[in-house]
Amino acid sequence: MVDILHKVGIKSPVAAVYSALTTTEGLAGWWTTGTSGKGDDIGGVLEFRFGPGGFDMKVLELEPGEHVRWEVVGGPDEWIGTHVNWRLGQDGDYTSVLFKHEGWREPVEFMHHCSTKWAVYLVSLKQLIETGTGAPDPRDVKIDSWN
């Protein structure tokens, strides 16, 4: 098993970042405008839709201001059964976000694409929190033919 790992610091209280990870309004502000579902209840399912397809995530863990964990229950075969894990911590004026998309069976080419796109969206999350405007799909940076 292999994982995608990223870290970003966001100049903000941790509560604002947690909200952007657990509300459909927050998620639509940095990841994809095609966001629906329930992200603030364990067992809830979030649906993320993009031009070429989408993902469904089941909420597994919620620790306010500290941790969010999802399981991918719908989407491309490479994603099914993987987990998206967010660890948050306050570091002075910054919230530290440790991101992990864990449990990939192997490092296929699509994983490389997804790693770069996760970085793009983490910068979008930072922009949303710090400036009030993120760059969610379809306004995100396009990196290749998969978008």
Side-chain angles (χ1 to χ4, degrees), residues 96-111:
S96 175
V97 179
L98 294 177
F99 169 87
K100 184 188 290 189
H101 186 169
E102 58 192 356
W104 288 73
R105 291 181 289 281
E106 58 184 327
V108 295
E109 185 177 346
F110 185 48
M111 181 183 175

Side-chain angles (χ1 to χ4, degrees), residues 40-122:
D40 57 357
D41 284 328
I42 293 176
V45 175
L46 288 160
E47 299 169 348
F48 302 101
R49 297 298 176 260
F50 301 80
F55 313 99
D56 296 337
M57 310 276 191
K58 182 177 180 181
V59 178
L60 297 182
E61 297 175 36
L62 294 171
E63 295 175 51
E66 295 181 25
H67 184 223
V68 175
R69 188 165 189 246
W70 305 324
E71 178 182 4
V72 181
V73 295
D77 289 343
E78 296 92 343
W79 279 48
I80 301 296
T82 63
H83 295 90
V84 178
N85 193 43
W86 309 86
R87 290 273 176 200
L88 309 176
Q90 197 71 50
D91 185 14
D93 292 341
Y94 285 82
T95 295
S96 175
V97 179
L98 294 177
F99 169 87
K100 184 188 290 189
H101 186 169
E102 58 192 356
W104 288 73
R105 291 181 289 281
E106 58 184 327
V108 295
E109 185 177 346
F110 185 48
M111 181 183 175
H112 294 267
H113 163 84
C114 293
S115 180
T116 304
K117 285 304 288 196
W118 274 123
V120 166
Y121 289 123
L122 285 167

